[in-house]
Amino acid sequence: MAWDEWEQLKASAAGKDAARMQLNGLPPEDRPNAGNPSGGFLEVDQQDLAAIGDEAFKLYNRLWKEARVTSTDAAGSDLASQGFALGGALQHVSTRWDKQLGSVMDACALISNHMDFTKNAHAGDEVFIERHVSGIQTLDAGFDEDWAGQGKPNPVYAEKDKKD
């Protein structure tokens, strides 16, 4: 292959759509923290966290009031004492129901408590970040290059008077 032919092939390849094949890479719009700034970011504010925690708390209270079935325990025991096989089965179902209900209620309580904790933790993070950013602004003000005025020497580097 002649050198001129190689240069011609390179020029024609460069002139075509160069993005038709990408190895080991993603298009910019699919990269995390790149591309479209409005997409791909998780944003949660305090109202969202409070609403989730509040709904979990409400569900927990409704389950406590409406989903517990205490009458089946007594009915199961009564039927079992009378010799009915249905009594033992009813007791088994009641026990399983209580365990499953407890699991769901525990999950609701965990979600509610976690949302409260998250809300408070992020509020603390905001205060921490605010303090550090305001501290950086104070430092920046101290490093202003024109603090002594133009043309005036820095007194730290002034020559010391020699006393004999």
Side-chain angles (χ1 to χ4, degrees):
M1 180 183 302
W3 186 257
D4 292 334
E5 185 181 359
W6 174 246
E7 291 298 325
Q8 184 182 18
L9 288 172
K10 283 188 347 182
S12 95
K16 292 181 183 176
D17 185 17
R20 69 176 181 263
M21 181 169 72
Q22 294 180 347
L23 299 176
N24 295 329
L26 292 172
E29 63 272 6
D30 292 338
R31 288 186 205 137
N33 301 324
N36 186 1
S38 65
F41 295 105
L42 176 63
E43 292 184 24
V44 179
D45 61 17
Q46 300 300 338
Q47 291 174 341
D48 295 333
L49 296 175
I52 293 168
D54 189 46
E55 289 300 318
F57 183 72
K58 287 178 187 176
L59 180 58
Y60 177 88
N61 286 334
R62 282 195 62 204
L63 289 170
W64 178 259
K65 292 175 187 173
E66 300 171 22
R68 291 184 309 136
V69 185
T70 56
S71 61
T72 55
D73 292 335
S77 298
D78 189 34
L79 287 170
S81 69
Q82 295 177 26
F84 289 98
L86 182 62
L90 191 56
Q91 285 176 325
H92 175 74
V93 169
S94 176
T95 303
R96 295 295 299 163
W97 177 261
D98 286 342
K99 285 183 181 179
Q100 295 298 320
L101 180 61
S103 295
V104 172
M105 289 175 67
D106 287 346
C108 288
L110 181 67
I111 291 168
S112 177
N113 292 338
H114 185 69
M115 290 301 109
D116 288 340
F117 171 79
T118 303
K119 180 175 64 171
N120 294 334
H122 285 296
D125 290 344
E126 289 295 323
V127 170
F128 178 79
I129 291 168
E130 250 178 54
R131 285 183 185 160
H132 277 77
V133 168
S134 66
I136 291 169
Q137 289 173 348
T138 304
L139 282 173
D140 270 349
F143 284 107
D144 185 8
E145 291 182 20
D146 197 24
W147 67 274
Q150 291 183 347
K152 296 182 182 176
N154 188 335
V156 172
Y157 299 111
E159 291 185 26
K160 306 283 184 195
D161 292 333
K162 293 184 182 180
K163 294 184 180 181
D164 294 316

